[in-house]
Amino acid sequence: MLSIENLSWALPNGTSILDSVSLDIPDGKLTVVTGPNGGGKTSLAKIITGLENPVTGKIFLDGEEISGLSITERARKGICYAFQTPVKFKGITVMDMLTLAAGRNISEDEACGYLHQVGLCAHDYISRDIDSSLSGGESKRIEIAGILARQNAKVLIFDEPEAGIDLWSFSGLIDIFKKLKERKNLALLIISHQERILEIADKTIVIAGGKIRREGSGKEIIPELFSDEKAGICPRGKNVERF
């Protein structure tokens, strides 16, 4: 389980982005973080992975404090992050990336399995470089395939995985998330505005203005998210001032 205690973070100019955020991301469950743009969702993910350092607060993985660990050390402990906009690497093939992600030599058949799960044909992609020749949607799916290859993962973080994904592949992605939920030793965190992802969430957390505003199951939270009368909030940023 990943636990966060009193996490705060601010921009260099002093603008507060996260303010005393505390939450648990349990194993064997799907936790979805949603809320208006600019509310602090991606900042939270970056702090968990070590891409940003909090002003205050602590992060624990299975009871061990990891707040002071580097990005590499956290990755070795099993924290994986799929970026909202995937990073591209000239000179590294898809097969290279999947092998690095797995941490061992994998066969083309195994690589094909990971790519198939995200709607890509290994024959067309396995030897391609992860560079600007790939579309945004292709890069996104390849990155998710790399996350799936991490068999020793303890925490999987997906930042808006629906971005750039076509409808057919998105349906397959929902199935992947359902299967990942079945892994009892894996904490699954998704940042998303997508209603179909919210529907399968075990716990949904609404972050706006740097604070947790709502918390409950996906089915409990969805009616509030899309009802101005009930909650005055919208994951796309409307009526945030009513908090």
Side-chain angles (χ1 to χ4, degrees):
M1 180 172 73
L2 188 76
S3 297
I4 296 167
E5 294 183 359
N6 299 316
L7 199 68
S8 296
W9 184 70
L11 296 175
N13 64 8
T15 301
S16 178
I17 302 299
L18 293 171
D19 184 9
S20 299
V21 170
S22 296
L23 59 92
D24 291 328
I25 303 168
D27 295 345
K29 302 289 184 181
L30 169 56
T31 302
V32 175
V33 173
T34 192
N37 294 330
K41 304 182 300 298
T42 294
S43 298
L44 175 64
K46 288 182 176 180
I47 291 171
I48 292 171
T49 56
L51 289 167
E52 298 288 355
N53 295 315
V55 176
T56 62
K58 297 179 179 180
I59 303 171
F60 297 88
L61 178 61
D62 295 335
E64 176 190 358
E65 185 176 358
I66 61 170
S67 310
L69 299 185
S70 67
I71 299 170
T72 301
E73 290 169 325
R74 296 186 200 198
R76 287 173 178 164
K77 287 186 175 293
I79 294 181
C80 309
Y81 181 36
F83 290 83
Q84 186 174 358
T85 302
V87 179
K88 296 182 179 181
F89 304 94
K90 186 177 181 180
I92 296 180
T93 67
V94 172
M95 186 66 183
D96 292 336
M97 188 276 288
L98 292 175
T99 299
L100 287 169
R104 56 186 172 81
N105 291 327
I106 61 174
S107 66
E108 288 197 9
D109 285 344
E110 187 175 354
C112 179
Y114 297 129
L115 292 170
H116 177 73
Q117 288 184 72
V118 296
L120 296 177
C121 174
H123 176 75
D124 295 333
Y125 288 92
I126 203 157
S127 297
R128 287 187 64 176
D129 283 354
I130 304 175
D131 58 17
S132 58
S133 68
L134 295 169
S135 70
E138 289 171 325
S139 297
K140 190 78 170 182
R141 283 181 279 181
I142 289 167
E143 182 183 46
I144 292 172
I147 292 291
L148 297 177
R150 287 286 305 273
Q151 297 299 306
N152 66 333
K154 291 186 177 181
V155 180
L156 296 185
I157 303 171
F158 296 88
D159 194 349
E160 297 195 18
E162 67 271 18
I165 300 292
D166 60 78
L167 184 61
W168 182 88
S169 296
F170 181 70
S171 295
L173 196 59
I174 294 293
D175 291 336
I176 289 172
F177 293 147
K178 289 179 178 177
K179 291 178 182 178
L180 288 172
K181 284 173 57 174
E182 297 173 1
R183 290 170 58 177
K184 302 302 182 182
N185 62 340
L186 180 68
L188 182 59
L189 173 64
I190 301 177
I191 296 169
S192 180
H193 297 155
Q194 225 291 332
E195 189 170 355
R196 286 187 62 190
I197 293 178
L198 294 170
E199 285 175 346
I200 64 171
D202 297 293
K203 180 169 69 171
T204 298
I205 297 167
V206 181
I207 292 182
K211 293 180 177 290
I212 294 177
R213 305 295 183 171
R214 298 283 190 279
E215 188 170 344
S217 70
K219 292 181 179 179
E220 291 171 341
I221 295 294
I222 287 175
E224 297 184 6
L225 288 174
F226 295 96
S227 172
D228 288 346
E229 292 77 18
K230 286 185 178 179
I233 60 175
C234 172
R236 292 172 178 81
K238 297 179 181 178
N239 300 320
V240 176
E241 69 276 2
R242 290 178 59 184
F243 279 122

